[in-house]
Amino acid sequence: MQRFEEIPFPKQLFIDGQFVDSAGGETFPVVYPASGEEICRVPLARDEDVDRAVRAARRVVDDGRWARLNPHDRERLLHRIADLIETHAEALAFLETYDTGKPLRETKMVDIPLTIQCFRYYAGWPSKIKGDTIPVRGQFLTYTLREPVGVVGQIVPWNFPLYMAAIKVAPALATGNAVVLKPAEETPLSALYLARLMAEAGVPEGVFNVVTGDGETTGAALVRHPDVDKIAFTGSTSVGQQIMRQAASHIKRVSLELGGKSPHIVFADADLSAAVKGIVSGIFYNQGEVCLAGSRIFVQKPVYEEVLERLRDAARNMKIGDPFAEETTFGSLISEEHRQRVERYVGVGVEEGAEVVEGGRIPPNCPKGYFYEPTILVGGHNRMTVAQEEIFGPVAFVLPFDTVEDVIGLANDTKYGLAAGLWTKNVSLAHNVARALKAGTVWINAYNLLDAAAPFGGYKMSGFGRELGEEALDLYTECKTVWTSLR
Ligand code: NAP
Ligand code: MG
């Protein structure tokens, strides 16, 4: 096992190509959630530090060198970043597990490989981003150009720290923007490691900057900075609303990936063992700390009891404990505060009439850290708090349904619209329901799949803008129309 002290990651802000302390010298603690112990401290960036980072980014945007870099050179640079992440994959996986408390097997098999794939995918784009010639009336040659937005502030959450950063950083750099990244206060370490790799890859100074600190201090400073052209945010809907309000004063571009309360539907004809596996990973993967989590599980009445029994078995059989142990499939929640929030929600569920049929406790074998058992609630209806509010933890709410029309109504009866899943062998039913669901992603006989090439994002209060895929290029480019008289 790689010891924390041996992982060669920087513990300073990354501004204008240099690792530096914060101007005021303040720091904050980073905690290993599976033990609750402080493992290091990193700088707290305040307005002055954020301003330095934004000015460095502005400089490199305004002098045009970065935006006009030959697309093939930009591609090589992005591939070099991907190569370096690959070379450092093991250290990054360990670091991510120390920072989040999630199982090492997942950071190794999911977080880091998805990050590499994301940089590789966007490495292919610079030579393919192009405008159009427009058939206008009159004698004109009219064409469009795709230009970078400029200085982009990116704010990401703690659940997949490096991957959430990659989803934003890779397309922003591929399109010639300069970035100031703010990782979550709970998980700043992999972003700093990425900064080190950026420098090693030869990314020009000022193009990529990392400021660490909490949302109210560092994040808010980035959002209100007048020289930031765009904020790309992933996090809770309430913070997304604040960001949108603040961005209004400068008409900053905003893209928002927010919360979810995704429906996961099992029809009676489904392959039940596959469906149960999908549901379990849909709600318990990453301790349920997933924006896409299939937290409302609707099971058609004829198979309800059987599916519930199998779900209970699967929840009981999850291996909770030491995130570094090979067999562990379920790690720690991110913080004590978050664990208490999850506990509170389970309490409210019970008060409103639900029954805890599995979990609902701190696991007895994990007295230290912020663990919480995979939990299943039943009994009640879709208007209950636990069916409407995002818990962002390992809490499944299982409800029976009768007809296709009923379940479509129930599934869409939410303010969110991030994702949905459904299980059936009936092809036309599957596609009809997929169309009827108001969600940015629908999985049929699958769940939780992401690919750098497949766009991803929310309907309704789950946000707007699509990340990943070709769609993300729109988030990071302005379209300029050029008219030329041919007379
Ligand atoms: P959060 O509290 O909204 O925080 C997200 C990020 O925003 C963090 O870096 C946070 O900083 C920062 N922040 C907080 N207040 C801010 C402010 N006033 N101004 C600027 N930045 C601010 O969310 P979280 O608890 O970390 O993450 C869980 C939420 O993220 C869930 O709702 C989940 O659904 C959502 N999420 C969505 C997606 C998606 O793609 N749709 C993916 C993952 C997670 P600090 O944490 O350092 O204070
Ligand atoms: Mg941490």
Side-chain angles (χ1 to χ4, degrees):
M1 174 168 141
Q2 203 151 358
R3 292 185 36 229
F4 181 74
E5 305 73 43
E6 289 161 3
I7 303 174
F9 74 95
K11 299 177 187 65
Q12 287 174 297
L13 310 175
F14 187 66
I15 297 176
D16 207 7
Q18 309 294 322
F19 284 103
V20 294
D21 289 327
S22 59
E26 283 173 275
T27 60
F28 64 92
V30 179
V31 168
Y32 175 42
S35 72
E37 284 154 0
E38 176 177 326
I39 47 177
C40 69
R41 299 184 71 87
V42 297
L44 173 63
R46 291 191 179 274
D47 286 76
E48 191 181 334
D49 309 292
V50 170
D51 181 56
R52 280 182 58 211
V54 172
R55 277 188 290 125
R58 186 86 257 160
R59 218 175 304 124
V60 74
V61 162
D62 286 351
D63 75 16
R65 267 179 313 146
W66 171 238
R68 286 199 291 272
L69 186 71
N70 176 330
H72 298 283
D73 291 340
R74 188 185 303 285
E75 291 185 350
R76 250 197 304 277
L77 196 56
L78 283 160
H79 274 302
R80 214 148 47 218
I81 298 166
D83 290 343
L84 282 167
I85 298 172
E86 219 157 54
T87 308
H88 292 255
E90 166 110 357
L92 278 165
F94 272 83
L95 192 61
E96 204 74 320
T97 289
Y98 277 118
D99 216 355
T100 59
K102 68 166 96 174
L104 179 68
R105 56 187 279 167
E106 289 172 8
T107 50
K108 267 188 176 168
M109 282 160 52
V110 180
D111 295 62
I112 309 302
L114 281 177
T115 299
I116 296 164
Q117 194 220 14
C118 187
F119 275 98
R120 292 238 181 272
Y121 172 80
Y122 285 105
W125 269 109
S127 63
K128 288 131 203 128
I129 297 166
K130 54 187 174 51
D132 295 310
T133 46
I134 316 290
V136 296
R137 72 195 146 71
Q139 282 187 291
F140 299 96
L141 169 63
T142 302
Y143 64 91
T144 56
L145 294 171
R146 287 270 159 199
E147 296 186 340
V149 171
V151 176
V152 180
Q154 303 186 322
I155 300 177
V156 293
W158 42 257
N159 59 343
F160 294 85
L162 187 62
Y163 180 50
M164 288 290 136
I167 286 179
K168 290 186 163 33
V169 173
L173 298 190
T175 43
N177 297 276
V179 166
V180 180
L181 172 70
K182 192 206 89 68
E185 180 189 13
E186 289 88 348
T187 56
L189 304 183
S190 54
L192 295 173
Y193 202 126
L194 180 64
R196 185 198 138 185
L197 300 182
M198 291 272 181
E200 215 171 306
V203 172
E205 291 172 1
V207 166
F208 180 70
N209 306 273
V210 179
V211 288
T212 51
D214 62 86
E216 288 75 30
T217 312
T218 316
L222 193 54
V223 173
R224 67 173 168 257
H225 198 295
D227 236 4
V228 172
D229 300 299
K230 178 199 161 91
I231 294 287
F233 171 77
T234 297
S236 58
T237 293
S238 62
V239 175
Q241 287 172 314
Q242 281 180 47
I243 287 179
M244 218 171 144
R245 266 183 229 115
Q246 284 172 348
S249 55
H250 297 101
I251 314 290
K252 280 193 177 84
R253 279 83 185 108
V254 179
S255 49
L256 301 174
E257 295 287 356
L258 307 176
K261 193 74 194 179
S262 299
H264 204 159
I265 304 167
V266 185
F267 288 102
D269 73 329
D271 172 344
L272 293 189
S273 19
V276 166
K277 269 195 202 131
I279 289 169
V280 167
S281 91
I283 182 60
F284 297 136
Y285 179 70
N286 210 53
Q287 302 75 238
E289 297 169 321
V290 182
C291 52
L292 303 164
S295 47
R296 291 184 299 144
I297 297 149
F298 297 107
V299 186
Q300 207 161 19
K301 277 188 181 153
V303 295
Y304 176 80
E305 288 303 331
E306 181 174 357
V307 168
L308 182 60
E309 257 338 285
R310 292 197 197 193
L311 284 176
R312 294 184 57 177
D313 275 350
R316 266 198 305 273
N317 286 326
M318 296 206 73
K319 297 276 177 287
I320 313 180
D322 177 4
F324 289 99
E326 194 69 35
E327 67 279 6
T328 299
T329 55
F330 192 94
S332 165
L333 300 190
I334 193 69
S335 64
E336 179 58 26
E337 191 191 353
H338 187 53
R339 174 166 71 182
Q340 286 177 11
R341 187 170 171 266
V342 173
E343 274 183 318
R344 252 195 324 272
Y345 268 117
V346 173
V348 169
V350 171
E351 274 166 35
E352 292 183 9
E355 185 192 348
V356 178
V357 292
E358 218 51 68
R361 302 177 309 171
I362 292 173
N365 66 328
C366 304
K368 286 203 298 182
Y370 313 128
F371 292 87
Y372 192 78
E373 287 178 339
T375 299
I376 299 177
L377 298 179
V378 299
H381 53 84
N382 190 56
R383 294 310 302 172
M384 282 165 50
T385 307
V386 287
Q388 290 293 324
E389 292 186 18
E390 183 182 42
I391 300 175
F392 214 59
V395 182
F397 189 34
V398 190
L399 292 166
F401 72 91
D402 279 313
T403 67
V404 177
E405 291 66 36
D406 289 348
V407 79
I408 290 171
L410 289 166
N412 287 335
D413 177 21
T414 164
K415 65 182 178 184
Y416 294 113
L418 194 56
L422 64 100
W423 297 80
T424 176
K425 290 186 190 128
N426 180 335
V427 178
S428 43
L429 174 69
H431 291 288
N432 283 325
V433 176
R435 285 176 187 212
L437 293 171
K438 293 192 174 60
T441 297
V442 179
W443 291 287
I444 297 172
N445 296 333
Y447 205 86
N448 262 353
L449 301 176
L450 288 175
D451 190 285
F456 154 73
Y459 279 37
K460 302 198 268 182
M461 288 183 83
S462 294
F464 53 79
R466 292 292 176 270
E467 299 198 299
L468 296 176
E470 189 173 352
E471 272 72 5
L473 303 173
D474 292 342
L475 299 183
Y476 293 104
T477 52
E478 293 279 11
C479 174
K480 178 182 280 175
T481 306
V482 181
W483 291 68
T484 318
S485 170
L486 298 180
R487 274 181 293 197

